[in-house]
Amino acid sequence: MSCTSLKTVANNIPESTPGEASKTSQDTIKTGQGQPPKQTQAAAQEKNPCDDLTGVSAEEIEKRKKLAYVNKTPIPDSHCSNCTLYLPPAKDKPCGGCMLFKGPVRPEGYCAYWAPITN
Ligand code: SF4
């Protein structure tokens, strides 16, 4: 394929916004196709106490959203438990914390501010 042909192909790719991309996912959720039953989803969320944000203020929840915190890192070698901003769990507690926001943090979590521990 020539360079001109590639440009033609590239120009014909429909543009989509993130909102449009998630629209398809939303449609799938609405129809229930490929989704586990709601009870199963709720049970899965109840299993990990580090996902329980009860008592965490809306402001702090917003902070974790702005930092793009996720419960499971997309980068295997970069996760909260090897981040310099991670606060390890107190004795006999399952969840750690983060210096940047309040609330429970999973050791296997991750956010855009991950920074390696340097010793
Ligand atoms: Fe986890 Fe991000 Fe906090 Fe580091 S800064 S502990 S990666 S939430």
XYZ file of all heavy atoms in Angstrom:
898
model
N 0.853 -1.181 0.000
C 0.000 0.000 0.000
C 0.895 1.240 0.000
O 1.853 1.328 0.751
C -0.889 -0.029 1.247
C -1.970 1.014 1.212
S -3.079 0.916 2.636
C -4.048 -0.514 2.254
N 0.592 2.154 -0.865
C 1.410 3.350 -0.968
C 1.108 4.310 0.173
O 0.112 4.163 0.878
C 1.148 4.040 -2.305
O -0.128 4.635 -2.270
N 1.976 5.294 0.300
C 1.792 6.292 1.348
C 0.480 7.048 1.153
O -0.243 7.322 2.086
C 2.978 7.249 1.347
S 2.970 8.378 2.736
N 0.162 7.332 -0.109
C -1.084 8.042 -0.401
C -2.279 7.201 -0.002
O -3.248 7.698 0.576
C -1.151 8.371 -1.913
O 0.020 9.078 -2.252
C -2.374 9.205 -2.227
N -2.194 5.882 -0.272
C -3.297 4.991 0.097
C -3.477 4.941 1.599
O -4.590 4.918 2.102
C -3.030 3.583 -0.426
O -2.967 3.596 -1.825
N -2.368 4.911 2.333
C -2.455 4.894 3.796
C -3.129 6.156 4.301
O -3.945 6.111 5.222
C -1.067 4.743 4.417
C -0.438 3.364 4.306
C 0.984 3.398 4.832
C -1.258 2.341 5.070
N -2.776 7.291 3.696
C -3.404 8.547 4.121
C -4.898 8.506 3.854
O -5.698 8.965 4.663
C -2.771 9.735 3.397
C -1.416 10.120 3.933
C -0.859 11.300 3.170
C 0.556 11.594 3.643
N 1.211 12.596 2.797
N -5.280 7.929 2.722
C -6.707 7.833 2.384
C -7.418 6.965 3.414
O -8.491 7.313 3.904
C -6.868 7.227 0.977
O -6.162 8.048 0.062
C -8.338 7.160 0.582
N -6.802 5.832 3.753
C -7.396 4.930 4.751
C -7.516 5.655 6.085
O -8.557 5.619 6.735
C -6.562 3.641 4.894
C -7.035 2.830 6.082
C -6.637 2.824 3.615
N -6.430 6.344 6.487
C -6.441 7.046 7.770
C -7.515 8.122 7.805
O -8.177 8.321 8.819
C -5.067 7.664 8.036
N -7.712 8.805 6.684
C -8.726 9.868 6.634
C -10.142 9.320 6.698
O -11.068 10.036 7.054
C -8.552 10.711 5.376
C -7.327 11.602 5.472
O -6.862 11.911 6.565
N -6.792 11.983 4.330
N -10.313 8.062 6.352
C -11.653 7.476 6.346
C -12.000 6.751 7.646
O -13.097 6.219 7.778
C -11.802 6.514 5.168
C -11.881 7.274 3.860
O -12.422 8.375 3.823
N -11.336 6.723 2.802
N -11.055 6.696 8.586
C -11.361 6.082 9.876
C -12.244 7.037 10.642
O -11.886 8.199 10.830
C -10.076 5.783 10.682
C -9.242 4.740 9.950
C -10.420 5.312 12.100
C -7.884 4.510 10.568
N -13.425 6.564 11.056
C -14.318 7.466 11.786
C -13.704 7.882 13.112
O -13.108 7.052 13.816
C -15.593 6.648 12.006
C -15.248 5.247 11.676
C -13.975 5.239 10.898
N -13.814 9.169 13.412
C -13.322 9.664 14.691
C -14.329 9.332 15.765
O -15.527 9.346 15.532
C -13.128 11.175 14.630
C -11.968 11.570 13.741
C -11.738 13.064 13.769
O -12.036 13.695 14.794
O -11.247 13.592 12.765
N -13.811 9.000 16.935
C -14.726 8.775 18.052
C -14.142 9.415 19.286
O -12.936 9.562 19.418
C -14.937 7.282 18.302
O -13.727 6.679 18.708
N -14.978 9.822 20.138
C -14.556 10.396 21.396
C -14.620 9.306 22.442
O -15.286 8.285 22.238
C -15.488 11.544 21.806
O -16.787 11.005 21.989
C -15.524 12.632 20.760
N -13.924 9.494 23.576
C -14.027 8.493 24.647
C -15.464 8.233 25.046
O -15.843 7.123 25.353
C -13.232 9.117 25.798
C -12.269 10.047 25.124
C -12.988 10.544 23.891
N -16.306 9.251 25.018
C -17.719 9.081 25.363
C -18.416 8.145 24.397
O -19.202 7.311 24.789
N -18.061 8.301 23.117
C -18.672 7.428 22.122
C -18.183 6.005 22.276
O -18.927 5.057 22.124
C -18.355 7.931 20.716
C -19.098 9.204 20.353
C -18.617 9.764 19.025
O -17.453 9.507 18.658
O -19.396 10.454 18.382
N -16.893 5.859 22.595
C -16.342 4.520 22.754
C -17.023 3.798 23.899
O -17.347 2.624 23.803
C -14.832 4.599 22.993
N -17.274 4.515 24.994
C -17.896 3.857 26.138
C -19.383 3.646 25.918
O -20.004 2.856 26.588
C -17.654 4.658 27.412
O -18.300 5.891 27.324
N -19.951 4.370 24.926
C -21.370 4.222 24.651
C -21.677 2.771 24.296
O -22.670 2.206 24.740
C -21.754 5.159 23.508
C -23.232 5.349 23.329
C -23.470 6.385 22.265
C -24.934 6.587 22.020
N -25.174 7.562 20.975
N -20.783 2.168 23.505
C -20.985 0.782 23.121
C -20.978 -0.102 24.356
O -21.818 -0.986 24.503
C -19.867 0.338 22.145
O -19.885 1.224 21.041
C -20.098 -1.079 21.680
N -20.033 0.159 25.275
C -19.982 -0.618 26.506
C -21.251 -0.421 27.318
O -21.790 -1.362 27.880
C -18.777 -0.197 27.346
O -17.600 -0.380 26.624
N -21.706 0.850 27.348
C -22.928 1.133 28.092
C -24.101 0.365 27.504
O -24.927 -0.162 28.228
C -23.227 2.636 28.067
C -22.247 3.451 28.859
C -22.290 3.158 30.335
O -23.337 2.884 30.888
N -21.145 3.153 30.984
N -24.149 0.336 26.160
C -25.238 -0.396 25.520
C -25.190 -1.866 25.902
O -26.215 -2.494 26.150
C -25.155 -0.244 23.997
C -25.481 1.180 23.571
O -26.066 1.926 24.385
O -25.149 1.536 22.436
N -23.969 -2.415 25.970
C -23.817 -3.814 26.339
C -24.289 -4.034 27.766
O -24.989 -5.003 28.055
C -22.332 -4.239 26.209
O -21.923 -3.998 24.875
C -22.170 -5.713 26.551
N -23.947 -3.096 28.657
C -24.366 -3.228 30.053
C -25.878 -3.158 30.156
O -26.497 -3.939 30.849
C -23.702 -2.134 30.914
C -22.210 -2.427 31.017
C -24.335 -2.080 32.302
C -21.406 -1.294 31.616
N -26.478 -2.205 29.379
C -27.927 -2.055 29.442
C -28.639 -3.335 29.025
O -29.636 -3.708 29.602
C -28.371 -0.903 28.537
C -28.136 0.459 29.130
C -28.587 1.523 28.164
C -28.109 2.878 28.612
N -28.278 3.884 27.578
N -28.100 -3.998 28.006
C -28.762 -5.191 27.526
C -28.407 -6.403 28.375
O -29.066 -7.419 28.304
C -28.370 -5.494 26.061
O -26.963 -5.677 26.006
C -28.801 -4.374 25.139
N -27.339 -6.280 29.161
C -26.965 -7.391 30.021
C -26.180 -8.463 29.307
O -25.875 -9.500 29.884
N -25.827 -8.218 28.053
C -25.092 -9.225 27.305
C -23.668 -9.317 27.819
O -22.978 -8.333 27.923
C -25.071 -8.870 25.823
C -26.449 -8.909 25.204
C -26.421 -8.397 23.773
O -25.441 -7.803 23.346
N -27.499 -8.636 23.057
N -23.233 -10.519 28.126
C -21.863 -10.737 28.556
C -21.573 -10.260 29.955
O -20.434 -10.245 30.390
N -22.552 -9.823 30.678
C -22.353 -9.335 32.038
C -22.817 -10.379 33.048
O -23.855 -11.011 32.838
C -23.155 -8.049 32.269
C -22.695 -6.889 31.421
C -21.304 -6.437 31.779
O -20.965 -6.311 32.945
N -20.472 -6.209 30.781
N -22.055 -10.554 34.130
C -22.525 -11.456 35.168
C -23.764 -10.872 35.831
O -23.988 -9.669 35.763
C -21.352 -11.533 36.149
C -20.521 -10.348 35.867
C -20.785 -9.954 34.438
N -24.568 -11.709 36.464
C -25.746 -11.190 37.155
C -25.353 -10.121 38.169
O -24.266 -10.165 38.742
C -26.312 -12.427 37.859
C -25.713 -13.586 37.156
C -24.406 -13.128 36.586
N -26.250 -9.154 38.392
C -25.945 -8.059 39.306
C -25.561 -8.560 40.693
O -24.701 -8.004 41.341
C -27.124 -7.094 39.388
C -27.239 -6.230 38.169
C -28.311 -5.196 38.306
C -28.341 -4.319 37.069
N -29.382 -3.333 37.106
N -26.188 -9.616 41.159
C -25.866 -10.146 42.484
C -24.408 -10.595 42.539
O -23.728 -10.387 43.516
C -26.762 -11.331 42.831
C -28.108 -10.912 43.397
C -28.890 -12.117 43.876
O -28.720 -13.199 43.349
N -29.721 -11.910 44.860
N -23.921 -11.204 41.451
C -22.537 -11.657 41.411
C -21.601 -10.462 41.468
O -20.595 -10.495 42.170
C -22.281 -12.470 40.129
O -23.217 -13.525 40.077
C -20.877 -13.020 40.105
N -21.924 -9.375 40.737
C -21.084 -8.177 40.757
C -21.047 -7.586 42.164
O -19.991 -7.212 42.652
C -21.629 -7.134 39.781
C -21.406 -7.504 38.334
C -22.007 -6.477 37.388
O -22.893 -5.731 37.771
N -21.526 -6.460 36.163
N -22.191 -7.508 42.799
C -22.247 -6.938 44.143
C -21.448 -7.798 45.119
O -20.700 -7.277 45.948
C -23.694 -6.826 44.601
N -21.561 -9.105 44.989
C -20.830 -10.002 45.887
C -19.327 -9.845 45.684
O -18.560 -9.838 46.648
C -21.254 -11.448 45.636
N -18.910 -9.669 44.419
C -17.480 -9.512 44.140
C -16.946 -8.235 44.767
O -15.837 -8.198 45.280
C -17.243 -9.512 42.632
N -17.767 -7.162 44.747
C -17.328 -5.904 45.330
C -17.264 -6.004 46.848
O -16.412 -5.403 47.467
C -18.261 -4.782 44.919
C -18.084 -4.396 43.451
C -19.079 -3.351 43.006
O -20.047 -3.092 43.700
N -18.848 -2.781 41.849
N -18.168 -6.783 47.450
C -18.182 -6.915 48.897
C -17.002 -7.739 49.396
O -16.610 -7.624 50.535
C -19.483 -7.571 49.349
C -20.680 -6.654 49.195
C -21.986 -7.376 49.462
O -21.951 -8.447 50.083
O -23.016 -6.859 49.057
N -16.434 -8.539 48.529
C -15.366 -9.445 48.952
C -14.128 -8.704 49.421
O -13.471 -9.137 50.339
C -14.986 -10.401 47.813
C -15.900 -11.571 47.658
C -15.383 -12.495 46.589
C -16.364 -13.642 46.370
N -15.977 -14.471 45.237
N -13.788 -7.603 48.767
C -12.556 -6.914 49.117
C -12.866 -5.655 49.923
O -13.417 -4.696 49.397
C -11.759 -6.551 47.863
C -10.338 -6.174 48.212
O -10.101 -5.469 49.197
N -9.398 -6.636 47.424
N -12.503 -5.648 51.207
C -12.809 -4.479 52.040
C -12.098 -3.214 51.574
O -12.513 -2.109 51.930
C -12.335 -4.906 53.431
C -11.345 -5.988 53.195
C -11.778 -6.669 51.924
N -11.066 -3.372 50.774
C -10.336 -2.197 50.285
C -11.139 -1.415 49.240
O -10.754 -0.312 48.861
C -8.998 -2.604 49.696
S -7.967 -3.512 50.849
N -12.240 -1.983 48.774
C -13.088 -1.282 47.816
C -14.233 -0.552 48.507
O -15.007 0.129 47.857
C -13.671 -2.271 46.796
C -12.589 -2.958 45.995
O -11.457 -2.440 45.935
O -12.867 -4.037 45.443
N -14.327 -0.719 49.811
C -15.417 -0.098 50.558
C -15.060 1.347 50.899
O -14.158 1.601 51.710
C -15.683 -0.900 51.837
C -16.855 -0.338 52.632
O -17.510 0.632 52.167
O -17.109 -0.862 53.729
N -15.749 2.277 50.274
C -15.469 3.699 50.486
C -16.459 4.342 51.457
O -16.578 5.569 51.508
C -15.476 4.429 49.150
C -14.418 3.954 48.142
C -14.537 4.707 46.829
C -13.012 4.081 48.711
N -17.127 3.504 52.237
C -18.044 4.024 53.245
C -17.276 4.940 54.200
O -16.216 4.571 54.706
C -18.673 2.862 54.055
O -19.320 1.977 53.144
C -19.670 3.377 55.072
N -17.794 6.118 54.415
C -17.152 7.044 55.337
C -16.098 7.929 54.686
O -15.579 8.835 55.318
N -15.769 7.654 53.438
C -14.801 8.494 52.729
C -15.574 9.643 52.082
O -16.598 9.415 51.427
C -14.048 7.676 51.651
C -13.064 8.558 50.902
C -13.335 6.491 52.283
N -15.101 10.848 52.271
C -15.837 12.012 51.771
C -15.841 12.050 50.248
O -14.949 11.503 49.584
C -15.210 13.302 52.306
O -13.964 13.529 51.676
N -16.846 12.723 49.719
C -16.959 12.878 48.260
C -15.725 13.574 47.697
O -15.256 13.256 46.608
C -18.219 13.664 47.919
N -15.175 14.503 48.475
C -13.969 15.226 48.033
C -12.786 14.270 47.863
O -12.045 14.340 46.883
C -13.631 16.292 49.075
C -12.464 17.162 48.714
C -12.159 18.186 49.806
O -13.037 18.465 50.648
O -11.040 18.687 49.819
N -12.632 13.346 48.812
C -11.526 12.390 48.735
C -11.745 11.371 47.623
O -10.796 10.944 46.963
C -11.345 11.675 50.083
C -10.896 12.597 51.202
C -9.545 13.250 50.944
O -8.671 12.606 50.341
O -9.362 14.411 51.341
N -13.001 10.994 47.407
C -13.312 10.074 46.302
C -12.993 10.753 44.973
O -12.449 10.142 44.062
C -14.784 9.621 46.381
C -14.976 8.714 47.605
C -15.211 8.903 45.106
C -16.412 8.356 47.906
N -13.295 12.043 44.895
C -12.991 12.798 43.680
C -11.476 12.870 43.446
O -11.008 12.775 42.316
C -13.586 14.210 43.781
C -13.561 14.985 42.496
C -14.322 14.330 41.358
O -15.309 13.610 41.612
O -13.914 14.520 40.202
N -10.715 13.007 44.516
C -9.252 13.051 44.379
C -8.742 11.750 43.765
O -7.915 11.770 42.863
C -8.588 13.226 45.757
C -8.582 14.624 46.277
C -7.798 14.658 47.583
C -8.035 15.921 48.357
N -7.391 15.889 49.683
N -9.237 10.620 44.272
C -8.734 9.344 43.736
C -9.146 9.170 42.274
O -8.410 8.583 41.490
C -9.100 8.149 44.612
C -10.545 7.723 44.633
C -10.762 6.404 45.381
N -10.314 6.419 46.750
C -9.887 5.356 47.434
N -9.864 4.171 46.871
N -9.494 5.459 48.663
N -10.313 9.723 41.916
C -10.732 9.661 40.512
C -9.818 10.513 39.645
O -9.414 10.104 38.566
C -12.175 10.147 40.364
C -13.200 9.133 40.806
C -14.605 9.685 40.600
C -15.648 8.738 41.156
N -16.999 9.334 41.122
N -9.479 11.711 40.122
C -8.625 12.608 39.337
C -7.236 12.011 39.133
O -6.586 12.281 38.133
C -8.527 13.973 40.021
C -9.748 14.822 39.802
C -9.592 16.203 40.393
C -10.824 17.032 40.090
N -10.841 18.300 40.802
N -6.786 11.211 40.091
C -5.483 10.565 39.962
C -5.580 9.276 39.152
O -4.580 8.602 38.940
C -4.914 10.253 41.354
C -4.659 11.465 42.248
C -4.192 11.018 43.622
C -3.628 12.382 41.624
N -6.787 8.944 38.731
C -7.030 7.740 37.921
C -6.664 6.462 38.682
O -6.116 5.518 38.113
C -6.300 7.826 36.587
N -6.995 6.462 39.983
C -6.726 5.256 40.779
C -7.570 4.096 40.268
O -8.756 4.253 39.985
C -7.051 5.506 42.257
C -6.986 4.256 43.096
C -5.770 3.745 43.513
C -8.155 3.570 43.439
C -5.712 2.582 44.260
C -8.107 2.405 44.192
C -6.878 1.925 44.604
O -6.827 0.773 45.331
N -6.942 2.931 40.164
C -7.645 1.698 39.805
C -7.263 0.623 40.815
O -6.162 0.639 41.380
C -7.317 1.228 38.374
C -7.932 2.162 37.347
C -5.819 1.104 38.152
N -8.175 -0.306 41.062
C -7.945 -1.363 42.044
C -6.900 -2.377 41.608
O -6.309 -3.057 42.435
C -9.244 -2.114 42.329
C -10.209 -1.265 43.106
O -9.808 -0.377 43.847
N -11.488 -1.527 42.931
N -6.703 -2.487 40.307
C -5.753 -3.461 39.769
C -4.884 -2.758 38.740
O -5.387 -2.222 37.757
C -6.535 -4.620 39.118
C -5.692 -5.670 38.475
C -5.140 -6.617 39.477
C -4.359 -7.734 38.799
N -3.319 -8.277 39.652
N -3.598 -2.769 38.990
C -2.696 -2.064 38.084
C -2.693 -2.662 36.682
O -2.744 -3.883 36.530
C -1.256 -2.066 38.643
O -0.432 -1.302 37.749
C -0.696 -3.472 38.765
N -2.593 -1.802 35.688
C -2.435 -2.313 34.319
C -0.967 -2.597 34.001
O -0.653 -3.143 32.964
C -2.969 -1.160 33.462
C -2.692 0.063 34.278
C -2.814 -0.360 35.728
N -0.082 -2.198 34.923
C 1.356 -2.362 34.702
C 1.894 -3.280 35.799
O 2.042 -2.860 36.951
C 2.078 -0.998 34.746
C 1.424 -0.030 33.762
C 3.562 -1.157 34.451
C 1.849 1.412 33.936
N 2.172 -4.531 35.475
C 2.527 -5.511 36.515
C 3.651 -5.084 37.460
O 3.615 -5.410 38.636
C 2.925 -6.745 35.699
C 2.183 -6.595 34.412
C 2.116 -5.118 34.145
N 4.637 -4.361 36.980
C 5.765 -3.998 37.839
C 5.546 -2.686 38.596
O 6.416 -2.272 39.364
C 7.048 -3.887 37.007
C 7.506 -5.241 36.481
O 7.124 -6.273 37.088
O 8.234 -5.271 35.477
N 4.421 -2.045 38.379
C 4.128 -0.774 39.053
C 2.784 -0.891 39.758
O 1.748 -1.016 39.107
C 4.053 0.366 38.022
O 5.243 0.435 37.283
N 2.828 -0.908 41.061
C 1.593 -1.026 41.843
C 1.783 -0.283 43.155
O 2.909 0.068 43.538
C 1.222 -2.493 42.075
C 2.390 -3.369 42.368
N 2.917 -3.477 43.630
C 3.166 -4.137 41.562
C 3.961 -4.301 43.585
N 4.132 -4.711 42.347
N 0.678 -0.064 43.851
C 0.724 0.746 45.065
C 1.761 0.228 46.070
O 2.471 1.025 46.684
C -0.656 0.818 45.705
S -1.841 1.771 44.723
N 1.839 -1.074 46.237
C 2.734 -1.579 47.283
C 4.214 -1.348 46.976
O 5.049 -1.488 47.867
C 2.468 -3.061 47.564
O 2.756 -3.827 46.430
N 4.550 -0.973 45.744
C 5.942 -0.591 45.494
C 6.043 0.876 45.056
O 6.972 1.275 44.372
C 6.643 -1.532 44.506
C 6.111 -1.448 43.089
O 5.243 -0.644 42.788
N 6.644 -2.277 42.209
N 5.075 1.652 45.522
C 5.060 3.099 45.256
C 5.549 3.819 46.515
O 5.210 3.441 47.638
C 3.638 3.550 44.923
S 3.443 5.338 44.769
N 6.308 4.850 46.325
C 6.860 5.580 47.466
C 5.775 6.318 48.266
O 5.996 6.672 49.425
C 7.961 6.551 46.986
O 8.687 7.016 48.107
C 7.374 7.730 46.223
N 4.600 6.510 47.671
C 3.513 7.225 48.349
C 2.541 6.287 49.065
O 1.576 6.729 49.673
C 2.751 8.087 47.333
C 3.612 9.148 46.648
C 2.869 9.772 45.480
C 4.044 10.207 47.644
N 2.829 4.991 49.010
C 1.941 3.993 49.619
C 2.134 3.954 51.133
O 3.262 4.018 51.631
C 2.233 2.618 49.025
C 1.331 1.508 49.515
C -0.027 1.526 49.254
C 1.855 0.428 50.218
C -0.854 0.494 49.688
C 1.040 -0.607 50.653
C -0.327 -0.566 50.382
O -1.139 -1.587 50.814
N 1.010 3.841 51.831
C 1.035 3.686 53.285
C 0.621 2.248 53.582
O -0.542 1.888 53.362
C 0.056 4.675 53.931
C 0.311 6.150 53.608
C -0.868 7.014 54.056
C 1.598 6.609 54.264
N 1.527 1.410 54.027
C 1.200 0.000 54.267
C 0.083 -0.147 55.299
O -0.119 0.731 56.145
C 2.514 -0.589 54.800
C 3.566 0.363 54.385
C 2.914 1.721 54.329
N -0.645 -1.273 55.245
C -1.737 -1.485 56.201
C -1.232 -1.513 57.639
O -0.117 -1.956 57.910
C -2.294 -2.860 55.819
C -1.679 -3.219 54.516
C -0.460 -2.387 54.339
N -2.091 -1.030 58.528
C -1.777 -1.155 59.946
C -1.850 -2.648 60.310
O -2.427 -3.449 59.570
C -2.788 -0.356 60.765
N -1.302 -3.009 61.430
C -1.282 -4.409 61.865
C -2.699 -4.982 61.860
O -3.625 -4.354 62.364
C -0.674 -4.499 63.267
C -0.411 -5.913 63.705
C 0.261 -5.938 65.054
C 0.515 -7.404 65.428
N 0.872 -7.567 66.795
N -2.841 -6.156 61.293
C -4.122 -6.875 61.211
C -5.166 -6.173 60.347
O -6.354 -6.472 60.443
C -4.705 -7.137 62.601
C -3.777 -7.967 63.463
O -3.047 -8.815 62.896
O -3.763 -7.767 64.685
N -4.758 -5.206 59.537
C -5.684 -4.530 58.619
C -5.359 -4.971 57.187
O -4.177 -5.146 56.846
C -5.561 -3.004 58.721
C -5.910 -2.460 60.089
C -7.390 -2.504 60.342
C -7.710 -1.908 61.698
N -9.113 -1.986 62.037
N -6.391 -5.126 56.362
C -6.144 -5.635 54.998
C -5.744 -4.570 53.984
O -5.143 -4.894 52.965
C -7.488 -6.256 54.612
C -8.495 -5.454 55.377
C -7.812 -5.063 56.675
N -6.075 -3.306 54.255
C -5.883 -2.275 53.219
C -4.832 -1.255 53.636
O -4.772 -0.849 54.791
C -7.187 -1.527 52.970
S -8.617 -2.591 52.826
N -4.097 -0.822 52.650
C -3.160 0.252 52.883
C -3.827 1.584 52.579
O -5.053 1.670 52.491
N -2.998 2.593 52.414
C -3.512 3.916 52.085
C -2.535 4.609 51.156
O -1.537 4.036 50.726
N -2.843 5.840 50.870
C -2.003 6.633 49.975
C -1.823 8.016 50.595
O -2.742 8.542 51.224
C -2.669 6.755 48.603
S -1.754 7.804 47.463
N -0.653 8.584 50.403
C -0.389 9.923 50.946
C -1.177 11.007 50.217
O -1.293 12.121 50.719
C 1.106 10.242 50.831
C 1.977 9.399 51.714
S 3.694 9.911 51.517
C 4.528 8.549 52.319
N -1.728 10.690 49.046
C -2.384 11.708 48.226
C -3.881 11.837 48.460
O -4.485 12.835 48.073
C -2.126 11.433 46.742
C -0.662 11.409 46.321
C -0.534 11.120 44.829
C 0.019 12.725 46.673
N -4.501 10.820 49.040
C -5.938 10.885 49.318
C -6.262 9.928 50.453
O -5.481 9.040 50.779
C -6.774 10.558 48.063
C -6.430 9.248 47.400
C -6.931 8.044 47.868
C -5.581 9.229 46.298
C -6.620 6.838 47.247
C -5.253 8.033 45.672
C -5.776 6.842 46.152
N -7.429 10.142 51.051
C -7.861 9.296 52.164
C -8.693 8.135 51.641
O -9.298 8.207 50.580
C -8.680 10.122 53.153
C -7.857 11.174 53.850
C -8.685 12.010 54.787
C -7.778 13.072 55.424
N -8.524 14.108 56.103
N -8.711 7.074 52.429
C -9.509 5.913 52.063
C -8.627 4.707 51.787
O -7.407 4.831 51.632
N -9.252 3.532 51.754
C -8.488 2.294 51.566
C -7.877 2.181 50.175
O -8.461 2.632 49.193
C -9.539 1.204 51.794
C -10.842 1.847 51.485
C -10.692 3.294 51.856
N -6.715 1.569 50.121
C -5.995 1.376 48.860
C -5.525 -0.074 48.800
O -4.979 -0.606 49.765
C -4.781 2.337 48.776
C -3.852 1.965 47.636
C -5.259 3.774 48.627
N -5.752 -0.667 47.670
C -5.269 -2.042 47.477
C -3.774 -2.042 47.170
O -3.309 -1.208 46.386
C -5.979 -2.689 46.290
C -7.401 -3.077 46.524
C -7.776 -4.043 45.432
N -9.193 -4.195 45.283
C -9.737 -5.183 44.575
N -8.953 -6.053 43.956
N -11.028 -5.290 44.473
N -3.048 -2.992 47.705
C -1.617 -3.089 47.372
C -1.393 -3.253 45.865
O -0.416 -2.772 45.327
C -1.135 -4.327 48.128
C -2.182 -4.608 49.143
C -3.463 -4.011 48.664
N -2.339 -3.920 45.200
C -2.210 -4.164 43.757
C -2.834 -3.044 42.918
O -2.954 -3.162 41.704
C -2.823 -5.520 43.378
C -4.323 -5.615 43.571
C -4.762 -6.044 44.972
O -3.987 -5.900 45.926
O -5.902 -6.504 45.109
N -3.193 -1.941 43.575
C -3.777 -0.801 42.861
C -2.712 0.004 42.136
O -1.516 -0.334 42.138
N -3.158 1.093 41.552
C -2.245 1.915 40.758
C -2.919 3.254 40.452
O -4.143 3.342 40.403
C -1.925 1.213 39.430
C -1.085 2.012 38.473
C 0.294 2.086 38.620
C -1.672 2.705 37.418
C 1.066 2.825 37.731
C -0.906 3.448 36.523
C 0.454 3.498 36.690
O 1.224 4.224 35.811
N -2.115 4.291 40.259
C -2.671 5.555 39.760
C -1.611 6.283 38.952
O -0.456 5.846 38.877
C -3.182 6.427 40.909
S -1.937 7.485 41.658
N -2.012 7.411 38.389
C -1.144 8.168 37.492
C 0.057 8.774 38.217
O 1.008 9.208 37.569
C -1.949 9.259 36.805
N 0.035 8.809 39.543
C 1.138 9.398 40.301
C 2.094 8.355 40.863
O 2.918 8.668 41.715
C 0.583 10.270 41.432
C 0.277 11.663 40.981
C -0.715 11.897 40.036
C 0.996 12.751 41.446
C -1.002 13.174 39.598
C 0.719 14.028 41.012
C -0.277 14.228 40.084
O -0.548 15.504 39.654
N 1.990 7.139 40.398
C 2.884 6.101 40.899
C 4.339 6.554 40.769
O 4.736 7.113 39.740
C 2.711 4.802 40.093
C 3.619 3.709 40.547
C 3.415 2.840 41.576
C 4.922 3.387 40.027
N 4.488 2.003 41.716
C 5.430 2.316 40.789
C 5.691 3.913 39.002
C 6.673 1.751 40.545
C 6.941 3.354 38.757
C 7.421 2.287 39.523
N 5.085 6.348 41.836
C 6.503 6.716 41.854
C 7.275 5.596 42.541
O 6.882 5.143 43.619
C 6.708 8.026 42.601
N 8.344 5.126 41.945
C 9.063 3.990 42.516
C 9.721 4.332 43.852
O 10.127 5.470 44.089
C 10.113 3.662 41.454
C 10.311 4.932 40.709
C 8.992 5.644 40.740
N 9.791 3.332 44.698
C 10.513 3.490 45.958
C 11.996 3.551 45.640
O 12.514 2.719 44.897
C 10.226 2.293 46.907
C 8.749 2.272 47.272
C 11.113 2.363 48.139
C 8.323 1.008 48.009
N 12.662 4.542 46.176
C 14.112 4.643 45.958
C 14.795 4.590 47.312
O 14.441 5.330 48.227
C 14.479 5.961 45.240
O 13.933 7.041 45.988
C 13.951 5.989 43.825
N 15.730 3.693 47.433
C 16.475 3.551 48.702
C 17.955 3.779 48.470
O 18.523 3.458 47.539
C 16.282 2.168 49.325
C 14.880 2.001 49.863
O 14.179 2.983 50.104
N 14.464 0.772 50.014
Fe -1.037 3.900 44.728
Fe -0.999 6.131 43.273
Fe -1.010 6.313 45.903
Fe 1.158 5.401 44.651
S 0.313 7.463 44.490
S 0.208 4.515 46.497
S 0.237 4.305 42.927
S -2.655 5.449 44.637
